[in-house]
Amino acid sequence: MTDDTTTSKGHSNYKQYYIGKGFQKRLCVMAKDQLQVLNALDVAKTQWYHFTAIIIAGMGFFTDAYDLFCISLVTKLLGRIYYHEPGASKPGSLPPNVAAAANGVAFCGTLAGQLFFGWLGDKLGRKKVYGMTLMIMVICSIASGLSFGHDPKAVMATLCFFRFWLGFGIGGDYPLSATIMSEYANKKTRGAFIAAVFAMQGFGILAGGLVAIIVSASFKVAFPAPAYEVDALGSTVPQADYVWRIIVMFGAIPAALTYYWRMKMPETARYTALVAKNAKQAAADMSKVLQVELEAEQEKVEKVQGNSFGLFSREFLRRHGLHLLGTTSTWFLLDIAFYSQNLFQKDIFSAIGQNLFQKDIFSAIGWIPPAKSMNAIEEVYKIARAQTLIALCSTIPGYWFTVALIDKIGRFAIQLMGFFFMTVFMFALAIPYNHWTHKDNRIGFVVMYSLTFFFANFGPNATTFIVPAEIFPARLRSTCHGISAASGKAGAIVGAFGFLYASQNTDRTKTDAGYPPGIGMRNSLIVLGCINFFGMVFTFLVPESNGKSLEEMSQENEEENGSAMEMRPQAGHDIRTVPV
């Protein structure tokens, strides 16, 4: 790295000035107040190692999203294969308890993994735990596609068991990936780098749809079958059992390919210096990464108190209690809405269409016809195509809008805006719900529905992941991110289980087999709109971290006795840093 603020020996010295209204005050804040290795990371220009870290951490999130959302592509197929009822007018479907378990059990594992690995990442170090989570994901992805026996109970029990542990591994990826990327990044573009890691989730969702399209299209050509209404038993060919297994097991491939590179990443300097107190190792690791000579400052490391208060201490509550409440509440509320929509968008599309014609649902745009008009493999293809189009048109663009703008307009503004528009569009769908059931208005429904995804991803779905990795002390950063993420997954569980029942028709004769009457799709969308509104309210508890160093946000250098001076410019003043 070459930078005009760094001398040939890697030293960086600064003088900071306040330039106020009619006066000038010099502050003697020199490099001795900041560890050189951390300062070098903060001011580093964007280099290849940044992109390498994004790819390595991002591939984990690619796999996470693939594994979490691919189940929604195959649940209909599982119902046809294992729960077919002879003589029924509709194809077989998973019983309510089985469907809830299949959709939600991975989230239960993810919640547990976020708490456990978040804590472990602060105790053992980010790198040591990082490879562990990936291996769990590889093994359990493969095992999820296998089964102990062929009867429905054995197949679904095996699937749910291994998806729980798959979720456990995925859970560890959240706090570790976010923490590693935040601790590697410079403060100028840190938001974009963390957002880019999270944006790989969009490509994972897209990949799930594409894999399902390719696999189902191939099997559909190789094993043609009549529609269910023509031949109920013949519409599900025996080979369909391989389709869902291949789709589920494919998630092991990207995770396995990433393992080697994760193991080559050095531990982050912030953990090594501030938590492990090993200045020599931190300087050596970052000298290689930054390609600049850095001095080991062991004496300075020993003097840094590192905010020695614990997570459950009164001091943490005073400094970061409201911050943690803000990150947990907003993530919780977001994920109720986000996962409800994402996991059950096929049901939302079907519901809006079935209010029109039983034999001609979405004929205008060709999305998800009635189940009985298709064979089993064709239904997988149609569901995958619909979800892939949503990912292409709204999910992925939303993520990358965040990457492009988060360091320009800030985390707070993006999160507030996202929740606001999610609320607006959800109410715009729910209140005039009958309007959208008319044939001529169905495309408008899809556009409006897609915009809620766009503003979720160009909004709180990204920022709730980014902010907890920036505002807490290094010693508790992974733990606090894990707690925030686990709160989000608690919301996802509420969304996955609750929406499945709530969205059922209020008329008992029109509910899916085995389900009690719910509050209906319209009322469910109204509830989701209210949830988004409360997310907007709780956003005001979350601080803005744009352009600030991690130590400034966490008050890492502030001694508990107040001896270390924290100097911030007042309103109307400008702070400048000049090299000397």
Side-chain angles (χ1 to χ4, degrees), residues 175-191:
L176 293 170
S177 290
T179 300
I180 286 171
M181 197 66 244
S182 71
E183 293 181 346
Y184 262 104
N186 61 56
K187 63 182 180 181
K188 183 179 179 181
T189 57
R190 184 179 61 238

Side-chain angles (χ1 to χ4, degrees), residues 347-348 351 355 430 433 498-507 510-511 516-528:
D347 300 314
I348 294 172
N355 288 330
Y433 185 75
F499 192 85
L500 191 65
Y501 288 88
S503 61
Q504 293 296 315
N505 200 293
T506 54
D507 185 347
K510 296 180 180 179
T511 61
I519 61 175
M521 190 63 68
R522 178 179 183 273
N523 290 331
S524 296
L525 294 175
I526 290 175
V527 170
L528 294 181

Side-chain angles (χ1 to χ4, degrees), residues 26-92:
R26 178 174 178 175
L27 301 176
C28 298
V29 183
M30 305 298 287
K32 65 181 181 180
D33 296 316
Q34 167 81 329
L35 287 174
Q36 184 192 119
V37 65
L38 305 186
N39 185 71
L41 285 167
D42 279 341
V43 301
K45 293 180 179 178
T46 301
Q47 300 177 48
W48 177 245
Y49 83 88
H50 288 120
F51 296 107
T52 302
I54 289 171
I55 293 169
I56 294 171
M59 284 306 294
F61 263 85
F62 176 95
T63 306
D64 295 349
Y66 182 98
D67 288 333
L68 286 176
F69 291 108
C70 70
I71 192 67
S72 65
L73 300 167
V74 300
T75 49
K76 296 282 190 181
L77 178 60
L78 288 167
R80 286 192 185 235
I81 295 172
Y82 296 109
Y83 293 90
H84 170 73
E85 294 182 8
S89 60
K90 295 181 179 180

